[in-house]
Amino acid sequence: MRGSREDDGSADLDDVERRLRAIRDDPEKSTTLRELAQYQLERVAALRAARHGTGTPAVTVDRLGPFRFSAIPATGIVSVEIDRGDGLVPLVAVVSADEIRRLTPLFQHVREHAAAGESIRIDLREAFLDLLGHDPFDGQLDDR
């Protein structure tokens, strides 16, 4: 017999939360992965709060071409998910709000080409390296 905790999906959130905490607290994991785990833990907390009527998730999600931005404003952390198409796993970068501002020229470039109906071909590693000075993809763009 299933209890109400299992019926409302809380048990599933507990498992997700446990796994995310393990990633966040593992010093051998990359900083990007650990920050993304923390970001997702905050989303789980927001889901729990929304489920219990104590608030609504403060997550904002925007889409621009192949980019999907997710942010919890109070954290100053933004997840940038990049759809690579062709069934490839999306790239995920976790950056600060300040870094998002530095990436604005890239996003304006994408917006202009998308509005003109033009193909968007960008070397993401070079663009992010040029604008941020580091690779936020942490090995996701290996040249293998």
Side-chain angles (χ1 to χ4, degrees), residues 88-144:
L88 296 172
V89 174
L91 297 173
V92 177
V94 178
V95 296
S96 69
D98 180 59
E99 288 175 320
I100 283 291
R101 285 188 284 281
R102 290 189 287 173
L103 290 167
T104 299
L106 170 64
F107 304 137
Q108 287 175 335
H109 174 77
V110 169
R111 180 179 290 122
E112 290 167 4
H113 284 274
E118 299 172 355
S119 175
I120 304 167
R121 290 275 186 212
I122 298 171
D123 183 328
L124 291 170
R125 177 179 278 152
E126 287 300 316
F128 276 72
L129 280 171
D130 184 46
L131 295 168
L132 297 181
H134 67 93
D135 179 2
F137 300 106
D138 196 37
Q140 297 176 67
L141 289 169
D142 287 338
D143 295 328
R144 292 182 250 158

Side-chain angles (χ1 to χ4, degrees), residues 5-78:
R5 184 159 173 82
E6 289 178 7
D7 292 340
D8 72 0
S10 295
D12 292 333
L13 279 179
D14 289 344
D15 185 50
V16 168
E17 194 172 21
R18 180 185 54 75
R19 291 177 186 194
L20 288 170
R21 285 182 196 277
I23 293 168
R24 181 199 62 194
D25 298 338
D26 185 347
E28 293 186 15
K29 299 287 186 194
S30 70
T31 301
T32 300
L33 188 58
R34 293 172 63 200
E35 287 175 356
L36 184 56
Q38 176 60 36
Y39 169 78
Q40 293 299 337
L41 281 165
E42 291 170 7
R43 291 181 79 175
V44 168
L47 287 170
R48 286 185 192 277
R51 180 174 286 159
H52 295 9
T54 58
T56 57
V59 177
T60 58
V61 178
D62 292 307
R63 189 159 196 59
L64 171 64
F67 300 103
R68 182 173 160 223
F69 307 95
S70 303
I72 299 176
T75 67
I77 296 174
V78 180

